[in-house]
Amino acid sequence: MESITFKIHNDITQLPTTWNQVATDNAFLQTQYLSVLEESAPVNMQCFYISIYEKEEHIGVALAQYLEVGKLESFGDRENCLKTKIRNFVFRNFASHVLFLGNNMITGQNGYAFNKAIDFKHISDVLVQCSDEIIAYFKKQNITIHIVSFKDFYQHCSEELKKYDFGKMYDFNVQPNMIFELHSDWKTESDYVAAFSKKYRDQYKRSHKKIEGIDEKELSYEEIVAHEERIYELYHHVAKNAPFNTFFLAKHHFSTFKKQCGNQFKLYGYFLEGNLVGFHTLLLNGETLETYFLGYDDHIQKEKMLYLNMLYNMTKFGIENGFKKIIFGRTALEIKSSIGAQPVMMSGFIFHSNKLINKYIGKIFEKLEPSVAWQQRHPFK
């Protein structure tokens, strides 16, 4: 690799025609999904799309996101304690302008893709150079980027990147990504349920008994539009009650996703007596099924075990449609492990533009990052 260059775009109409050929293995980097971000990104987010070249050949793509965290009305309302108030003060005053190299809206290594083998030194070099150029872009607008974060790397990638410029940054592990590697001999939901130990087979039966009276239905684009206000209300309730948030989706995000991605994006509604009481979403990403945002009425969820049934339904879809694994993300770890998902540690890298703050970034991060105690479940015989 003699000459690596890159070009940063802030509008998907500027992307080279070869973009999707390079990003072919990751739906979260293809133009259909990037169009969703372009049309319905969170109000405090600006996206940058990076084309990477070796000489004249287009060999890589990457995504960066700028977040103006100070625009948020709330970082999450679940934990109203002194630690949370201190964390919110720090974020508003010392971390309100954040640059992510990667996708802060999802869990997984979705920040870049190459169509040929690239060594980690070149990956490190180009990602750091991209961040420098975007920092300079904002500096011209009199905006100081406080924090730069390179997001979500699997452990072997993280270890390799640390040998180069990433080794100068603070590397962190937050909650693991819950990933369900589906058994190749499971062809139906019955095969999956048969693999449970008695305790978890009983849990499955109990949850299915509880949800009686609720109808599940995949919604078309027109139906998503018709229910958009309620869908957003259910999503926003769950999002606001998370321990910590750096963004909230735009109100028309889900209809935009369906419009741009068609059958690759699926939204399932849960109806009680004709009223929408919950929904979950999926993105079909090659042999991987990606779970996306969901929402529910809290009272119905507790009474009907709605969330657990959503997890079972996502798993059923993955099995019956031949997916190899399901990415469940990094929330609700214990209940996800109870249906078969396993924790996979992922690393990120972070630095602060203030040298004094950056010197203590590790200690600060440990104090501010919400910690979650959980017990891993082992549901299979």
Side-chain angles (χ1 to χ4, degrees):
M1 295 183 65
E2 297 176 15
S3 176
I4 298 292
T5 58
F6 60 88
K7 186 172 183 181
I8 298 175
H9 316 274
N10 53 19
D11 184 329
I12 61 166
T13 61
Q14 303 168 353
L15 301 186
T17 56
T18 48
W19 181 282
N20 278 352
Q21 294 169 248
V22 176
T24 187
D25 291 332
N26 193 325
F28 284 117
L29 286 167
Q30 291 164 11
T31 54
Q32 298 96 313
Y33 173 74
L34 299 183
S35 298
V36 178
L37 294 184
E38 191 91 340
E39 288 187 41
S40 64
V43 293
N44 65 326
M45 178 182 288
Q46 181 178 350
C47 294
F48 297 87
Y49 319 103
I50 303 160
S51 306
I52 303 166
Y53 300 87
E54 181 184 12
K55 295 184 178 176
E56 302 294 319
E57 182 187 359
H58 185 199
I59 62 165
V61 300
L63 175 67
Q65 295 174 332
Y66 162 68
L67 280 176
E68 190 174 350
V69 181
K71 277 188 174 181
L72 288 185
E73 61 184 59
S74 160
F75 295 114
D77 293 344
R78 192 171 82 190
E79 298 173 358
N80 188 21
C81 60
L82 180 61
K83 179 179 176 181
T84 301
K85 290 175 181 175
I86 293 170
R87 182 192 68 198
N88 292 353
F89 174 82
V90 170
F91 271 91
R92 288 199 188 280
N93 292 278
F94 302 102
S96 58
H97 302 288
V98 183
L99 176 63
F100 288 94
L101 271 291
N103 191 333
N104 187 48
M105 297 171 65
I106 53 176
T107 303
Q109 193 166 306
N110 298 299
Y112 64 85
F114 291 90
N115 64 359
K116 62 186 292 185
I118 306 295
D119 62 78
F120 281 98
K121 182 182 188 313
H122 283 95
I123 293 174
S124 170
D125 288 347
V126 75
L127 292 179
V128 170
Q129 288 172 33
C130 288
S131 70
D132 289 343
E133 186 163 316
I134 298 172
I135 290 168
Y137 166 86
F138 281 105
K139 191 172 183 179
K140 289 177 183 176
Q141 301 176 53
N142 295 316
I143 295 172
T144 298
I145 298 294
H146 294 127
I147 286 179
V148 178
S149 179
F150 300 83
K151 185 179 177 290
D152 280 359
F153 298 94
Y154 290 109
Q155 289 301 105
H156 74 280
C157 295
S158 169
E159 292 302 319
E160 290 298 321
L161 289 168
K162 280 194 281 191
K163 296 175 183 177
Y164 307 104
D165 283 348
F166 281 62
K168 302 170 187 174
M169 306 175 205
Y170 174 67
D171 67 303
F172 61 90
N173 298 297
V174 289
Q175 296 174 37
N177 189 2
M178 299 302 290
I179 299 178
F180 197 169
E181 302 277 353
L182 299 175
H183 291 217
S184 58
D185 55 346
W186 292 345
K187 305 302 180 187
T188 67
E189 184 181 28
S190 297
D191 296 334
Y192 164 62
V193 175
F196 282 138
S197 65
K198 183 181 183 305
K199 175 181 176 181
Y200 291 96
R201 197 159 54 249
D202 289 345
Q203 173 183 276
Y204 172 87
K205 290 176 182 176
R206 187 170 65 254
S207 70
H208 275 59
K209 185 74 174 170
K210 283 276 191 179
I211 205 171
E212 287 178 359
I214 289 185
D215 299 315
E216 180 205 4
K217 178 188 177 185
E218 182 181 357
L219 302 190
S220 66
Y221 169 72
E222 290 77 16
E223 288 170 320
I224 293 172
V225 171
H227 291 285
E228 188 112 74
E229 196 168 312
R230 178 60 173 161
I231 289 170
Y232 189 81
E233 182 183 336
L234 295 169
Y235 151 75
H236 194 250
H237 167 76
V238 172
K240 278 194 75 174
N241 284 279
F244 185 61
N245 267 314
T246 54
F247 66 89
F248 290 98
L249 295 175
K251 291 191 175 180
H252 60 297
H253 183 79
F254 297 104
S255 61
T256 303
F257 212 140
K258 187 64 176 177
K259 180 179 70 174
Q260 293 293 346
C261 295
N263 284 333
Q264 196 176 14
F265 174 76
K266 296 186 176 291
L267 189 150
Y268 290 88
Y270 293 77
F271 293 86
L272 179 62
E273 298 176 352
N275 298 312
L276 184 65
V277 295
F279 75 93
H280 77 258
T281 53
L282 299 168
L283 182 69
L284 285 54
N285 191 4
E287 295 180 330
T288 300
L289 183 63
E290 307 269 359
T291 65
Y292 199 59
F293 293 96
L294 55 75
Y296 48 72
D297 180 304
D298 211 30
H299 299 295
I300 303 297
Q301 129 65 16
K302 289 174 182 174
E303 179 188 343
K304 297 288 190 178
M305 299 178 74
L306 186 55
Y307 181 68
L308 180 57
N309 277 286
M310 287 180 181
L311 296 178
Y312 285 133
N313 287 340
M314 295 177 204
T315 303
K316 177 184 177 182
F317 183 93
I319 292 168
E320 294 184 349
N321 289 277
F323 288 91
K324 290 191 173 179
K325 63 182 175 182
I326 306 173
I327 307 293
F328 277 110
R330 53 166 56 103
T331 57
L333 309 179
E334 192 163 323
I335 193 170
K336 287 173 180 174
S337 74
S338 81
I339 60 103
Q342 296 279 330
V344 175
M345 290 308 300
M346 304 202 75
S347 295
F349 297 87
I350 192 170
F351 69 86
H352 199 286
S353 59
N354 181 298
K355 289 183 180 179
L356 180 60
I357 295 176
N358 192 59
K359 186 177 179 181
Y360 299 101
I361 191 70
K363 294 183 184 300
I364 295 169
F365 188 90
E366 288 169 8
K367 296 288 186 186
L368 298 179
E369 172 62 26
S371 58
V372 175
W374 69 288
Q375 181 180 349
Q376 184 175 353
R377 303 298 179 177
H378 302 280
F380 300 115
K381 296 172 187 173

